Short mmCIF file of all heavy atoms in Angstrom, two decimals:
data_model
loop_
_atom_site.label_atom_id
_atom_site.label_comp_id
_atom_site.label_asym_id
_atom_site.label_seq_id
_atom_site.Cartn_x
_atom_site.Cartn_y
_atom_site.Cartn_z
N ASP A 1 0.79 -1.22 0.03
CA ASP A 1 -0.02 0.01 0.03
C ASP A 1 0.84 1.26 0.06
O ASP A 1 0.26 2.33 0.22
CB ASP A 1 -0.95 0.02 1.22
CG ASP A 1 -0.26 -0.18 2.57
OD1 ASP A 1 0.93 -0.58 2.53
OD2 ASP A 1 -0.86 0.10 3.58
N VAL A 2 2.15 1.18 -0.25
CA VAL A 2 3.05 2.41 -0.39
C VAL A 2 2.94 2.97 -1.79
O VAL A 2 2.30 2.40 -2.70
CB VAL A 2 4.40 2.17 0.13
CG1 VAL A 2 4.46 1.78 1.54
CG2 VAL A 2 5.08 1.20 -0.74
N SER A 3 3.64 4.04 -2.05
CA SER A 3 3.54 4.70 -3.34
C SER A 3 4.06 3.84 -4.48
O SER A 3 4.95 3.01 -4.33
CB SER A 3 4.26 6.04 -3.29
OG SER A 3 5.66 5.85 -3.49
N GLY A 4 3.61 4.17 -5.68
CA GLY A 4 4.09 3.49 -6.88
C GLY A 4 5.53 3.70 -7.12
O GLY A 4 6.18 2.87 -7.68
N LEU A 5 6.04 4.93 -6.73
CA LEU A 5 7.49 5.18 -6.92
C LEU A 5 8.30 4.27 -6.07
O LEU A 5 9.38 3.77 -6.49
CB LEU A 5 7.80 6.63 -6.61
CG LEU A 5 7.26 7.62 -7.55
CD1 LEU A 5 7.52 9.04 -7.08
CD2 LEU A 5 7.86 7.49 -8.95
N GLU A 6 7.80 4.00 -4.88
CA GLU A 6 8.56 3.00 -3.98
C GLU A 6 8.55 1.63 -4.59
O GLU A 6 9.46 0.89 -4.52
CB GLU A 6 7.96 3.01 -2.56
CG GLU A 6 8.31 4.35 -1.87
CD GLU A 6 7.66 4.38 -0.53
OE1 GLU A 6 8.19 3.87 0.47
OE2 GLU A 6 6.50 4.94 -0.41
N HIS A 7 7.45 1.31 -5.22
CA HIS A 7 7.34 0.00 -5.90
C HIS A 7 8.28 -0.14 -7.10
O HIS A 7 8.83 -1.21 -7.35
CB HIS A 7 5.85 -0.38 -6.26
CG HIS A 7 4.95 -0.57 -5.11
ND1 HIS A 7 5.25 -1.19 -3.97
CD2 HIS A 7 3.68 -0.15 -4.94
CE1 HIS A 7 4.30 -1.26 -3.11
NE2 HIS A 7 3.27 -0.58 -3.68
N LEU A 8 8.40 0.96 -7.81
CA LEU A 8 9.36 0.95 -8.97
C LEU A 8 10.80 0.65 -8.39
O LEU A 8 11.52 -0.10 -8.96
CB LEU A 8 9.27 2.23 -9.73
CG LEU A 8 8.02 2.41 -10.63
CD1 LEU A 8 8.03 3.83 -11.15
CD2 LEU A 8 8.12 1.39 -11.80
N ASP A 9 11.06 1.32 -7.35
CA ASP A 9 12.40 1.11 -6.68
C ASP A 9 12.53 -0.30 -6.28
O ASP A 9 13.58 -0.94 -6.41
CB ASP A 9 12.49 2.10 -5.48
CG ASP A 9 13.99 2.01 -4.91
OD1 ASP A 9 14.84 2.22 -5.65
OD2 ASP A 9 14.07 1.81 -3.65
N MET A 10 11.44 -0.91 -5.73
CA MET A 10 11.49 -2.36 -5.36
C MET A 10 11.76 -3.25 -6.54
O MET A 10 12.57 -4.16 -6.50
CB MET A 10 10.15 -2.71 -4.73
CG MET A 10 9.90 -4.17 -4.44
SD MET A 10 8.20 -4.69 -3.95
CE MET A 10 7.38 -4.30 -5.43
N LEU A 11 11.15 -2.92 -7.72
CA LEU A 11 11.42 -3.75 -8.84
C LEU A 11 12.81 -3.58 -9.34
O LEU A 11 13.45 -4.59 -9.87
CB LEU A 11 10.43 -3.37 -10.04
CG LEU A 11 8.90 -3.60 -9.70
CD1 LEU A 11 8.05 -3.09 -10.88
CD2 LEU A 11 8.65 -5.01 -9.34
N MET A 12 13.37 -2.42 -9.29
CA MET A 12 14.78 -2.23 -9.61
C MET A 12 15.73 -3.03 -8.68
O MET A 12 16.66 -3.64 -9.10
CB MET A 12 15.16 -0.73 -9.53
CG MET A 12 14.58 -0.04 -10.72
SD MET A 12 15.07 1.74 -10.80
CE MET A 12 13.66 2.49 -10.02
N THR A 13 15.34 -3.05 -7.34
CA THR A 13 16.14 -3.85 -6.37
C THR A 13 16.03 -5.32 -6.76
O THR A 13 16.99 -6.08 -6.75
CB THR A 13 15.57 -3.63 -4.96
OG1 THR A 13 15.75 -2.29 -4.59
CG2 THR A 13 16.28 -4.55 -3.99
N ARG A 14 14.82 -5.80 -7.14
CA ARG A 14 14.61 -7.14 -7.54
C ARG A 14 15.48 -7.51 -8.75
O ARG A 14 16.04 -8.62 -8.89
CB ARG A 14 13.12 -7.40 -7.80
CG ARG A 14 12.91 -8.86 -8.22
CD ARG A 14 13.20 -9.89 -7.17
NE ARG A 14 13.02 -11.27 -7.58
CZ ARG A 14 13.85 -12.00 -8.20
NH1 ARG A 14 15.05 -11.58 -8.70
NH2 ARG A 14 13.53 -13.27 -8.60
N SER A 15 15.56 -6.56 -9.68
CA SER A 15 16.42 -6.76 -10.88
C SER A 15 17.95 -6.95 -10.48
O SER A 15 18.66 -7.71 -11.01
CB SER A 15 16.25 -5.69 -11.86
OG SER A 15 14.94 -5.80 -12.55
N ARG A 16 18.37 -6.08 -9.56
CA ARG A 16 19.74 -6.22 -9.13
C ARG A 16 19.94 -7.52 -8.43
O ARG A 16 21.08 -8.05 -8.59
CB ARG A 16 20.09 -4.95 -8.16
CG ARG A 16 20.16 -3.68 -8.91
CD ARG A 16 20.73 -2.59 -8.08
NE ARG A 16 19.90 -2.25 -6.91
CZ ARG A 16 18.93 -1.33 -6.98
NH1 ARG A 16 18.60 -0.74 -8.16
NH2 ARG A 16 18.16 -1.02 -5.94
N ILE A 17 19.03 -8.03 -7.66
CA ILE A 17 19.14 -9.31 -7.05
C ILE A 17 19.18 -10.36 -8.17
O ILE A 17 20.05 -11.33 -8.07
CB ILE A 17 17.98 -9.60 -6.06
CG1 ILE A 17 18.10 -8.62 -4.89
CG2 ILE A 17 18.04 -11.01 -5.61
CD1 ILE A 17 16.81 -8.67 -4.00
N GLY A 18 18.37 -10.29 -9.13
CA GLY A 18 18.29 -11.20 -10.20
C GLY A 18 19.60 -11.31 -10.96
O GLY A 18 20.01 -12.40 -11.40
N ALA A 19 20.25 -10.20 -11.13
CA ALA A 19 21.54 -10.16 -11.82
C ALA A 19 22.65 -10.86 -11.01
O ALA A 19 23.63 -11.33 -11.60
CB ALA A 19 21.97 -8.72 -12.03
N GLN A 20 22.42 -11.01 -9.72
CA GLN A 20 23.42 -11.66 -8.93
C GLN A 20 22.85 -13.03 -8.33
O GLN A 20 23.43 -13.53 -7.33
CB GLN A 20 23.83 -10.74 -7.74
CG GLN A 20 24.41 -9.49 -8.15
CD GLN A 20 24.85 -8.59 -7.01
OE1 GLN A 20 25.20 -9.04 -5.97
NE2 GLN A 20 24.75 -7.35 -7.21
N ARG A 21 21.85 -13.55 -8.96
CA ARG A 21 21.21 -14.71 -8.43
C ARG A 21 22.08 -15.90 -8.19
O ARG A 21 21.82 -16.77 -7.34
CB ARG A 21 20.03 -15.12 -9.33
CG ARG A 21 20.35 -15.60 -10.67
CD ARG A 21 19.06 -15.77 -11.48
NE ARG A 21 19.36 -16.06 -12.91
CZ ARG A 21 19.71 -15.13 -13.80
NH1 ARG A 21 19.80 -13.97 -13.45
NH2 ARG A 21 20.06 -15.55 -15.07
N PHE A 22 23.17 -16.04 -8.98
CA PHE A 22 24.08 -17.18 -8.76
C PHE A 22 24.94 -17.08 -7.57
O PHE A 22 25.62 -18.03 -7.25
CB PHE A 22 24.90 -17.40 -10.09
CG PHE A 22 24.05 -17.67 -11.29
CD1 PHE A 22 23.96 -16.76 -12.31
CD2 PHE A 22 23.24 -18.81 -11.36
CE1 PHE A 22 23.16 -17.06 -13.43
CE2 PHE A 22 22.40 -19.10 -12.46
CZ PHE A 22 22.35 -18.19 -13.54
N GLU A 23 24.93 -15.95 -6.99
CA GLU A 23 25.75 -15.72 -5.78
C GLU A 23 24.96 -15.92 -4.54
O GLU A 23 25.48 -15.87 -3.46
CB GLU A 23 26.35 -14.30 -5.78
CG GLU A 23 27.22 -14.01 -6.94
CD GLU A 23 27.68 -12.58 -6.99
OE1 GLU A 23 27.75 -11.90 -5.92
OE2 GLU A 23 27.97 -12.08 -8.08
N LEU A 24 23.62 -16.19 -4.70
CA LEU A 24 22.81 -16.34 -3.45
C LEU A 24 23.03 -17.75 -2.83
O LEU A 24 23.20 -18.79 -3.51
CB LEU A 24 21.33 -16.32 -3.91
CG LEU A 24 20.71 -15.02 -4.44
CD1 LEU A 24 19.36 -15.21 -4.96
CD2 LEU A 24 20.73 -13.99 -3.25
N THR A 25 23.07 -17.73 -1.52
CA THR A 25 23.17 -18.96 -0.77
C THR A 25 21.86 -19.75 -0.80
O THR A 25 20.82 -19.07 -1.21
CB THR A 25 23.52 -18.72 0.68
OG1 THR A 25 22.36 -18.04 1.40
CG2 THR A 25 24.83 -17.84 0.86
N PRO A 26 21.81 -21.00 -0.57
CA PRO A 26 20.53 -21.71 -0.51
C PRO A 26 19.50 -20.98 0.44
O PRO A 26 18.31 -20.89 0.00
CB PRO A 26 20.89 -23.08 0.02
CG PRO A 26 22.30 -23.28 -0.48
CD PRO A 26 22.91 -21.86 -0.29
N GLU A 27 19.92 -20.53 1.56
CA GLU A 27 19.03 -19.78 2.51
C GLU A 27 18.53 -18.51 1.89
O GLU A 27 17.32 -18.20 1.93
CB GLU A 27 19.74 -19.50 3.80
CG GLU A 27 18.85 -18.94 4.91
CD GLU A 27 18.96 -17.41 4.98
OE1 GLU A 27 19.99 -16.84 4.55
OE2 GLU A 27 18.08 -16.80 5.54
N GLN A 28 19.38 -17.76 1.19
CA GLN A 28 18.94 -16.57 0.50
C GLN A 28 18.00 -16.87 -0.66
O GLN A 28 17.03 -16.09 -0.92
CB GLN A 28 20.14 -15.83 0.07
CG GLN A 28 20.99 -15.13 1.11
CD GLN A 28 22.25 -14.57 0.63
OE1 GLN A 28 22.83 -15.12 -0.34
NE2 GLN A 28 22.72 -13.50 1.26
N GLN A 29 18.28 -17.91 -1.34
CA GLN A 29 17.30 -18.35 -2.43
C GLN A 29 15.90 -18.64 -1.95
O GLN A 29 14.96 -18.27 -2.54
CB GLN A 29 17.88 -19.59 -3.20
CG GLN A 29 19.14 -19.31 -3.96
CD GLN A 29 19.79 -20.59 -4.52
OE1 GLN A 29 19.25 -21.66 -4.31
NE2 GLN A 29 20.94 -20.41 -5.22
#
């Protein structure tokens, strides 16, 4: 329920995580 701008930032964060997905530990995955 926060602003759309904050959600866009969230999607950018998710993309940065996706770019590093092979570095995630099993617990982080």
